């Protein structure tokens, strides 16, 4: 795999970073458990109740709010780390909650 710049939870993501994130997220959707998927959809309702919400906005909002970061499924965080898409410090904070 090509070198991937780790995504910052704040600031702008390049088009390439967004593309890499979506590839990883689509893979996660294909392997995630129903429980993890429902957990992510519940989180989406907390971030953007009754609205359309991009996956990138969902993840970024979750990392920006400590009360939500622990709600991200650990399997999604792990996959993003494996693909070198998250800085370890953000993932550890999120997974620890």
């Amino acid at each position: 795999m090509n070198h991937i710049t780790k995504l910052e939870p704040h600031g702008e993501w390049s088009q390439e970073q967004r593309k890499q994130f979506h590839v990883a997220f689509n893979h996660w959707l294909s392997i995630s458990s129903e429980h993890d998927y429902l957990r992510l959809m519940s989180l989406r309702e907390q971030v953007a109740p009754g609205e359309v919400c991009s996956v990138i906005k969902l993840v970024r909002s979750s990392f920006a709010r400590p009360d939500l970061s622990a709600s991200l499924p650990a399997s999604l965080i792990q996959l993003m780390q494996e693909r070198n898409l998250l800085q370890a410090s953000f993932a550890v904070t999120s997974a620890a909650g």
Side-chain angles (χ1 to χ4, degrees), residues 11-50:
E12 290 299 314
W13 291 359
S14 71
Q15 183 175 0
E16 184 62 25
Q17 287 172 316
R18 288 173 178 270
K19 180 180 172 183
Q20 292 167 352
F21 175 84
H22 281 290
V23 167
F25 180 75
N26 288 337
H27 176 70
W28 178 81
L29 282 175
S30 72
I31 62 170
S32 66
S33 67
E34 183 175 353
H35 172 77
D36 280 353
Y37 175 78
L38 293 175
R39 186 173 174 183
L40 188 67
M41 291 304 99
S42 175
L43 178 61
R44 191 203 64 75
E45 276 301 312
Q46 293 175 31
V47 170

Side-chain angles (χ1 to χ4, degrees), residues 10 43 46 59-72 90 93-97:
H10 308 288
L43 178 61
Q46 293 175 31
V59 170
R60 290 176 69 170
S61 296
S62 298
F63 282 118
R65 291 181 46 191
D67 61 316
L68 295 180
S69 64
S71 298
L72 279 170
F90 296 116
T93 300
S94 179

Side-chain angles (χ1 to χ4, degrees), residues 67-91:
D67 61 316
L68 295 180
S69 64
S71 298
L72 279 170
S75 60
L76 177 58
I77 293 169
Q78 181 179 356
L79 179 63
M80 291 174 68
Q81 282 183 298
E82 288 171 2
R83 297 210 177 178
N84 203 26
L85 293 171
L86 281 183
Q87 290 186 348
S89 60
F90 296 116

